[in-house]
Amino acid sequence: MPLISLETGLVVRRGSRTLEFVRLLEGNKVQFQDQRTHHVQTLTLSRFYSALQTGQLAAVLGEEVHGADLARTRAAPVILTDLSSLQSKERAALERRLKYVNLIRKRRLTRGQRMKIGEVLPSIAVALKDLSPPTVSTVLGWMRQFELSGMNPAALLSGNRCRRRQRRISIEVEQVVDNKLRTVYLTPRRLTLNHTLDQINIELKRRVMQGKILESDAKVSLSTVQRRLKEIAPYDRDRARYGFAYARSRYRTSVEGVTAIRPLQRLECDHTPLNWVVVCDRTGLPLGRPTLTIVVDAFSGYVVGLYVSFYGPGLTSVLNVIKNAIQPKDEIGQAAGTKQPWIAFGIGETIVLDNGLEFHSPQFQLAAWELGVDLEYCRVRTPWLKPKVERFFANLDHFTLTKGRIHKPLPNQVGLDPQKDASITFSDFVTGLIRFVVDIYPFELNSRRLQTPFELFKEGIDLMPPPTFLTSTDQLDLIAAMSKQLTVAQGGVEFHGLSYSDASLHEMKKIIGHRFKTLVKWNPDDLSCVYVQNPRNDAWLTVPSLLPDYTAGLSWIQHKLIRKHAREKHVAGGDQERLMQAKQELHELWMEPLARKNRRRDMRIAAKYSGLSSNQIVLASDDRGPMPPEPIKVLAREEVCTLIPEVPSYETFKMR
C-alpha cells in the first residue's frame, strides 16, 4: 500500500476534486486547498486518516504525477487485495519473491544498481536456501512491480494464475457447438440442452465421415456445452427462447438500467397535469388547470427544478424548467417560507426524456447544443428507465388542497360551484408546491440506501467540481418562443386581435416593402412584445405592443380566455374597450369570493417566483400602477360630483 507523509507536495483526491496540502496546524489539524477554487478545508488529523482508510480521500502518488516517461510506463496490474484466499503454492511463491525484494532494499540498493544487485544475489540465495535463484533481470522486474504498486505485496503474484487457458477443442468442433446452440437451443421451440447435445454429436459424426475432423474430436460432453452456453449473455438467451418482452421485463434493472454515480450526471425530465384550478392573484382571472414539469436528479432523487404552465406540455415549459434548474433558488425558497435551503443549481451532463414531440423537436436539440448537454431518450413503455421522476409523481398525493381541486364527476351528485371550489390563488398554490419539494419530499428516507435525497445530493455536490452557469438566457428565450408566419402591413403585426408596431419596424418596411410575410415569435407567458425576423439577414427585431396597459404581463392563455368571454357575452364597444371590459367582468366574477386584506403583501411574495411558472401577471411590480379596486369599492361615474352649480332665480308669473 502507498506510504505518504504530511509535507509540501502532498495531493489527495476527494471525488473529482483535487486537494493540496497547505500546512499542519496546532491541535493536530491539517489544512488542504482546492486547486481549482482555492477553497481551504481544515480537518482534524484523525478525521483525515479515517477518510484515507475508508476511501473518501485517495492519495496521488508522486510517480503517477511526476513520472519521467508516462507514455512508456506499463499500466499497473490488477492487484488482488485479499491475500488470505491464496493457495499454499501461490503463497510460497509470493513469500520467496518478497524476501528477495526486501533483502535487496534493506541493503540500500535501487533498481538502477544492476551490478551491485548481481553481486549480493548469490549471498541472498544462500541465506534463503534457494537452490535455483532468480536472475538479476528477474529480481529487477520484481522490484519495479513492487515499487510502482505502492509497496503492495500482491503485485508480486505470478501472472500465470490469471492467464486465459487455451481450449482443447478444435475450431471445427467449436463452430458446430455454437451453431447448434443458436439454431436448436436458442429458439422459441425451447428444446432441452440434452436434445441439443444429441444434435451436436450427430453433426460431428457426419463431419468425421466427410473427413473434416478426427474421430477423437467427434464427441463433446454435456458440461462443455453448458460452459459454452454460459458464455452467452442471460438476456440474449431468454430473449431468443421466451421473446423480447419477457427478457426486457425480467432484466429491466440489471441489463437496461443506467445508474448515475454523481449528482447532475443524469437529470430526468417529465410532465404531469395537476388536479387543481388556479386563479391569478392580481387580476382574479382563472389560469386553468396547471401542468407541472420537473427535473429530478437520477443519483439522489432530489428535485433540481420545476415549472408550472397552463397551456399543457410543450417546448416552452421544458426550456423554462431547464432554466429554473440551472439558476440558484435561494430567493424562491425564502419567498415560499421553506425551512430548508434549495441547494440544486447548475447545468447537468445528460437529460433523460421520454418520446414526447416537444423533446424530439429541432428547437429543443438546438437548446441542448447551446447548453452543451446530451439528450437520452427512453424506449417506449419503459418507465423504469427514469424511475426517480415517476416516483415523484406517485408521491404527489401528499400535496393536497381542500379547495380548487378537480374531482371526477359522480352520478346522482350535485355539481360543485366553481366560484367556491376553484378558489386557489397562484401564490398559495406555488408556495405549497415549493414547500413540498424543498421541505418534505427530499427528507423521505430511501429504503434501499437508508439516506435521504437531500443527504445524497449534498454529499455528492461536495465531491464534484464547481457547477457551471449560463451568462445569458436570451438565446433560450428566443428558442422557446412560439412561431408563426404572419403578415406585416400598415398596422404592423396583427396577432389574435393585438397589434405590434414601432419605429424600427417602420424602417424595416421601407427596406423590404410595405407588405410582406415573415416569421414572428412570441413568448406565451408575456404578450407585451413579439420577435419579428428580418427576411433579408435573418436578424430578429423586438416589437412592442400598441396596447401596453393590456398586454403587460398577459399570457397567451389568458388573452384567449378574455377574447372568448367577450365573444360569448357580446360586450359592446371597440376592440380595446371590449377587451378591457371583458377583463374587468372576469375580475369581478372571480375576485369577489377571494377578497383578503393582505393581498399586496402576497403580491410581493409572489413576485419572487419569477421564471417558475407561465403566470407572469403575478410578477407585476408596483410600478405598473395601482391594483384594480375591489368590486364593492367601485363607484359609478354618475355618483361622482365634485361641484354643485348655483341655480339662478327667476321672476314668477301666473298663466290663465
Side-chain angles (χ1 to χ4, degrees), residues 276-437:
W276 292 279
V277 174
V278 183
V279 179
C280 178
D281 292 68
R282 190 172 69 91
T283 63
L285 297 179
L287 300 174
R289 184 179 181 182
T291 299
L292 177 63
T293 306
I294 65 168
V295 176
V296 182
D297 178 52
F299 171 75
S300 60
Y302 192 76
V303 179
V304 180
L306 63 88
Y307 186 78
V308 180
S309 61
F310 297 94
Y311 42 80
L315 178 63
T316 304
S317 59
V318 176
L319 293 181
N320 281 314
V321 76
I322 293 177
K323 289 168 53 179
N324 176 257
I326 295 174
Q327 69 177 12
K329 293 171 278 294
D330 299 333
E331 294 184 356
I332 296 177
Q334 293 176 1
T338 59
K339 298 180 180 179
Q340 302 295 332
W342 199 349
I343 60 176
F345 58 89
I347 301 177
E349 302 178 21
T350 303
I351 302 178
V352 185
L353 311 161
D354 54 19
N355 292 276
L357 295 179
E358 64 275 9
F359 299 135
H360 287 276
S361 63
Q363 292 82 1
F364 183 65
Q365 295 178 359
L366 292 176
W369 295 350
E370 188 76 18
L371 296 173
V373 299
D374 298 329
L375 302 180
E376 182 177 328
Y377 299 97
C378 300
R379 190 179 299 165
V380 181
R381 292 187 294 273
T382 54
W384 55 83
L385 295 182
K386 46 183 183 67
K388 301 298 182 181
V389 66
E390 300 293 343
R391 172 57 60 186
F392 177 84
F393 289 155
N395 291 343
L396 272 181
D397 289 339
H398 295 85
F399 181 54
T400 57
L401 294 175
T402 58
K403 295 183 179 181
R405 186 163 184 167
I406 297 176
H407 300 276
K408 183 178 179 180
L410 299 177
N412 300 326
Q413 184 178 5
V414 180
L416 300 177
D417 186 4
Q419 295 188 13
K420 298 179 180 179
D421 186 62
S423 56
I424 297 300
T425 59
F426 174 78
S427 59
D428 294 339
F429 173 75
V430 177
T431 299
L433 184 61
I434 294 175
R435 290 183 180 179
F436 173 75
V437 167

Side-chain angles (χ1 to χ4, degrees), residues 6 12 27 182 222 248 316 348 361 390 406-407 462 539 555 632:
L6 296 175
V12 296
R182 298 187 181 277
L222 181 62
R248 188 182 64 175
T316 304
S361 63
E390 300 293 343
I406 297 176
H407 300 276
D462 294 339
S555 65
I632 57 177

Side-chain angles (χ1 to χ4, degrees), residues 317-585:
S317 59
V318 176
L319 293 181
N320 281 314
V321 76
I322 293 177
K323 289 168 53 179
N324 176 257
I326 295 174
Q327 69 177 12
K329 293 171 278 294
D330 299 333
E331 294 184 356
I332 296 177
Q334 293 176 1
T338 59
K339 298 180 180 179
Q340 302 295 332
W342 199 349
I343 60 176
F345 58 89
I347 301 177
E349 302 178 21
T350 303
I351 302 178
V352 185
L353 311 161
D354 54 19
N355 292 276
L357 295 179
E358 64 275 9
F359 299 135
H360 287 276
S361 63
Q363 292 82 1
F364 183 65
Q365 295 178 359
L366 292 176
W369 295 350
E370 188 76 18
L371 296 173
V373 299
D374 298 329
L375 302 180
E376 182 177 328
Y377 299 97
C378 300
R379 190 179 299 165
V380 181
R381 292 187 294 273
T382 54
W384 55 83
L385 295 182
K386 46 183 183 67
K388 301 298 182 181
V389 66
E390 300 293 343
R391 172 57 60 186
F392 177 84
F393 289 155
N395 291 343
L396 272 181
D397 289 339
H398 295 85
F399 181 54
T400 57
L401 294 175
T402 58
K403 295 183 179 181
R405 186 163 184 167
I406 297 176
H407 300 276
K408 183 178 179 180
L410 299 177
N412 300 326
Q413 184 178 5
V414 180
L416 300 177
D417 186 4
Q419 295 188 13
K420 298 179 180 179
D421 186 62
S423 56
I424 297 300
T425 59
F426 174 78
S427 59
D428 294 339
F429 173 75
V430 177
T431 299
L433 184 61
I434 294 175
R435 290 183 180 179
F436 173 75
V437 167
V438 178
D439 290 340
I440 300 177
Y441 184 76
F443 294 93
E444 294 181 353
L445 189 63
N446 191 317
S447 59
R448 294 183 179 179
R449 299 186 180 183
L450 296 181
Q451 284 183 295
T452 61
F454 183 85
E455 294 175 352
L456 288 173
F457 192 86
K458 177 65 176 175
E459 294 176 1
I461 283 294
D462 294 339
L463 303 178
M464 290 178 55
T468 56
F469 300 95
L470 284 173
T471 56
S472 175
T473 60
D474 296 339
Q475 190 69 22
L476 289 181
D477 294 337
L478 190 59
I479 294 175
M482 296 183 177
S483 61
K484 187 178 181 181
Q485 288 285 342
L486 297 177
T487 301
V488 179
Q490 288 81 1
V493 180
E494 298 290 339
F495 173 73
H496 285 274
L498 300 176
S499 299
Y500 297 85
S501 181
D502 64 347
S504 58
L505 184 64
H506 179 66
E507 296 296 331
M508 182 189 297
K509 290 168 61 178
K510 289 182 179 180
I511 300 174
I512 300 175
H514 70 284
R515 185 181 181 89
F516 60 92
K517 279 191 175 184
T518 184
L519 185 63
V520 178
K521 288 190 174 184
W522 68 92
N523 185 1
D525 300 335
D526 190 2
L527 297 181
S528 60
C529 63
V530 295
Y531 306 99
V532 180
Q533 188 180 33
N534 192 332
R536 297 286 180 85
N537 54 11
D538 295 337
W540 291 95
L541 180 67
T542 304
V543 182
S545 172
L546 296 180
L547 300 176
D549 295 336
Y550 171 73
T551 59
L554 184 70
S555 65
W556 186 37
I557 189 68
Q558 290 175 339
H559 175 61
K560 293 173 63 178
L561 182 62
I562 292 173
R563 285 174 58 86
K564 180 181 178 182
H565 175 76
R567 188 181 299 109
E568 292 178 353
K569 297 299 182 180
H570 302 285
V571 181
D575 293 340
Q576 181 175 0
E577 296 179 358
R578 180 171 65 249
L579 291 178
M580 289 293 184
Q581 187 173 353
K583 188 175 181 180
Q584 181 64 23
E585 288 186 6

